[in-house]
Amino acid sequence: MPEILSSARQMISKYALCDSCFGRQFGGLARGVTNRERGFALKLSLALEAHAAAKEGDPEGEAMLRALAENGDHASARNALGESAPPAKACRICGGVMSRLGDYARAVAGAVEGYEFSNFLIGVRVAGEVAEREDAIRSEFSAEHGESLRMEASREIGKAVASLVGKDVEFARPEIVITVEIPGPGLEVKPMPLYVGGRYRKLERGIPQAKWDCVHCRGKGCSVCDGTGKIYPTSVEEIVAIPIMEAAGGTDEKFHGAGREDVDAIMRGNGRPFVIEVKNPKRRALDLAGLERAINAAAGGRVEVVGLCFSDKKTVRRFKEGAKVAEKVYRALVELECDVDEGRLPALEKSFNGCIINQYTPNRVLHRRADKLRVKKVHELSAKWIDSRHIELVVRCQGGLYVKELISGDGGRTEPSIAKALGCGARCVELDVIAVNEGA
């Protein structure tokens, strides 16, 4: 204790410090009290000691009382000195900011009006010169027990805001983060993204999963795209994500799918899992059942969503990690360049069941994908003879396999292939995704 009071005595003798900034330098001591209370208690201890010494005629006692009055604005020291008490100085570290934390809290409470949220987190950005002054004092007095102004301000503002808005502070997964600049007056409100997931079926060909900007004008609008800025009139993203974003009052959205199908492919069966990430949402309590009905009605049978539910970033991460291994099932209508007898199909099925496919990036996507070898597995293949020039395949395979190239061989870039196995050219004329076997 004598060492602590000795350090406190030296500190307040040299620097003007408010109760909060003074107590914060000893923040690891006497748990269960605020820094303001700790600082006041230290000053009071010093004042009692100094007052007793001054009564004994010790000049150091009066000097300490004057330091506490001038540098600590301490009432008991001022009362002991009476009219001879010097005027108080502004706090060397915060300049009075810590006495105005209630004003910051009220500003935050006003800034979050109009947002739906059940919890929040306060962040504080402290001006460089303020932090430098505190660091210099802490270094000079080896105040290893102290905490930063930033930490105290964020905690105390958070407690005050919680009382004002009736919501809890949440550190792990806050729904809204408010950053306060000290001394200010900057204030930034950042709602955390809202995630809504489900599955979609695409029941019409010619619809991409995501909005596809015109390559000629890069989305600005030109004569080629009739001023739309898009190659295709709409997309699954626009049909599904925009109504969700508008319902949430967000500023933007991002579509995350568990893989994607080609523009000319249909997505049916159990549907493809997806998550919509709504950025800067103002509303979170969405009527998902009503949204699902509205989306499906507006889509007019082109796209259908099922099982809308609230989701999270972890699910998006799982999509990315699982896309390469998740099991997919496709139906493909294949056109052949030569006549094939129905009797050859059992051997074709047998050769591809459990088959490992070595596949280089297809020529059709080389302009936007790196040229690399992908090793994928066909778990099961069944073939149905339609006529001598047409067969229908059902392929159950590992995610990431390009099925069109599995059929055509892509000029030797996919080995083995249906075309090579049959000894004649083959191409996919219709492709349907009939199952995506992974959780949403």
Side-chain angles (χ1 to χ4, degrees):
M1 183 66 175
E3 291 181 5
I4 294 171
L5 288 180
S6 175
S7 178
R9 188 181 299 111
Q10 294 176 51
M11 198 179 292
I12 203 67
S13 295
K14 187 171 182 179
Y15 296 107
L17 296 170
C18 67
D19 290 350
S20 289
C21 289
F22 190 45
R24 196 168 55 252
Q25 309 317 310
F26 305 90
L29 305 173
R31 298 292 179 88
V33 296
T34 66
N35 286 324
R36 185 185 296 274
E37 292 168 336
R38 186 180 292 107
F40 179 85
L42 283 168
K43 289 177 183 179
L44 182 59
S45 296
L46 294 174
L48 291 171
E49 182 184 69
H51 198 190
K55 279 192 168 187
E56 295 292 328
D58 186 346
E60 289 187 5
E62 184 172 344
M64 188 70 246
L65 287 174
R66 296 188 70 82
L68 286 165
E70 184 176 24
N71 288 343
D73 193 19
H74 195 64
S76 63
R78 303 189 71 79
N79 292 336
L81 293 169
E83 293 183 0
S84 67
K89 293 180 180 178
C91 179
R92 167 67 178 169
I93 293 176
C94 75
V97 162
M98 298 304 289
S99 65
R100 304 197 303 272
L101 295 187
D103 296 335
Y104 289 102
R106 284 185 285 275
V108 169
V112 298
E113 286 184 2
Y115 289 92
E116 283 184 359
F117 61 99
S118 60
N119 56 58
F120 69 95
L121 180 64
I122 297 292
V124 169
R125 208 161 28 230
V126 178
E129 60 270 19
V130 175
E132 287 170 7
R133 291 195 296 266
E134 180 161 55
D135 288 344
I137 291 174
R138 181 166 295 143
S139 175
E140 181 179 349
F141 291 96
S142 301
E144 70 274 7
H145 297 296
E147 68 170 345
S148 68
L149 185 150
R150 181 183 64 80
M151 290 178 64
E152 180 183 7
S154 63
R155 180 178 63 251
E156 297 303 321
I157 294 173
K159 289 193 292 187
V161 171
S163 178
L164 289 170
V165 303
K167 307 290 173 63
D168 294 329
V169 175
E170 167 63 38
F171 293 96
R173 295 175 64 182
E175 291 185 352
I176 190 167
V177 175
I178 308 97
T179 303
V180 179
E181 291 184 2
I182 287 182
L187 194 67
E188 181 186 33
V189 177
K190 181 68 176 175
M192 294 296 98
L194 175 67
Y195 296 91
V196 176
R199 286 177 176 259
Y200 76 83
R201 301 185 185 101
K202 191 179 79 178
L203 307 174
E204 183 178 296
R205 303 186 195 280
I207 301 176
Q209 186 184 80
K211 178 185 173 184
W212 203 327
D213 287 343
C214 173
V215 296
H216 299 280
C217 64
R218 298 185 181 276
K220 295 178 181 178
C222 63
S223 58
V224 176
C225 63
D226 292 328
T228 65
K230 302 184 292 185
I231 294 178
Y232 295 92
T234 191
S235 63
V236 174
E237 178 181 8
E238 291 166 280
I239 291 171
V240 176
I242 290 178
I244 294 174
M245 180 189 72
E246 291 176 346
T251 58
D252 200 1
E253 54 77 20
K254 190 170 184 180
F255 188 98
H256 303 280
R260 65 174 64 207
E261 68 283 338
D262 288 338
V263 175
D264 59 353
I266 281 177
M267 176 68 242
R268 52 191 180 93
N270 62 350
R272 185 180 298 277
F274 70 88
V275 170
I276 306 298
E277 178 183 350
V278 180
K279 300 180 181 180
N280 302 311
K282 284 199 168 185
R283 295 177 291 277
R284 292 179 177 272
L286 305 184
D287 176 8
L288 296 184
L291 263 174
E292 187 173 307
R293 290 192 297 270
I295 290 168
N296 291 337
R302 296 170 298 169
V303 171
E304 181 181 63
V305 296
V306 293
L308 283 189
C309 60
F310 292 107
S311 189
D312 53 33
K313 192 173 183 178
K314 188 184 296 185
T315 301
V316 174
R317 195 177 300 119
R318 192 174 77 241
F319 283 174
K320 307 299 181 186
E321 294 169 352
K324 297 178 181 179
V325 295
E327 184 181 276
K328 311 284 173 40
V329 184
Y330 298 86
R331 182 203 73 88
L333 178 62
V334 179
E335 184 178 78
L336 306 170
E337 293 182 0
C338 63
D339 292 337
V340 171
D341 186 82
E342 185 176 2
R344 296 185 60 187
L345 298 188
L348 179 71
E349 293 174 338
K350 185 177 180 180
S351 67
F352 278 92
N353 286 339
C355 182
I356 299 299
I357 308 298
N358 294 294
Q359 188 169 66
Y360 285 93
T361 303
N363 280 302
R364 64 188 170 94
V365 297
L366 266 178
H367 63 287
R368 54 188 172 89
R369 299 254 174 116
D371 189 7
K372 64 178 184 179
L373 175 65
R374 294 169 176 82
V375 179
K376 300 293 180 179
K377 184 175 183 179
V378 173
H379 300 296
E380 185 178 11
L381 182 144
S382 64
K384 176 184 176 182
W385 192 82
I386 297 174
D387 59 42
S388 61
R389 292 293 182 103
H390 296 91
I391 59 174
E392 182 182 85
L393 302 178
V394 174
V395 183
R396 183 168 63 85
C397 61
Q398 186 180 351
L401 176 70
Y402 290 95
V403 176
K404 289 179 179 178
E405 283 67 31
L406 171 70
I407 293 167
S408 70
D410 198 26
R413 295 179 66 82
T414 294
E415 291 279 354
S417 68
I418 300 297
K420 188 171 183 178
L422 293 176
C424 71
R427 71 182 186 93
C428 178
V429 293
E430 272 187 10
L431 184 66
D432 297 347
V433 186
I434 57 178
V436 178
N437 296 329
E438 60 179 281

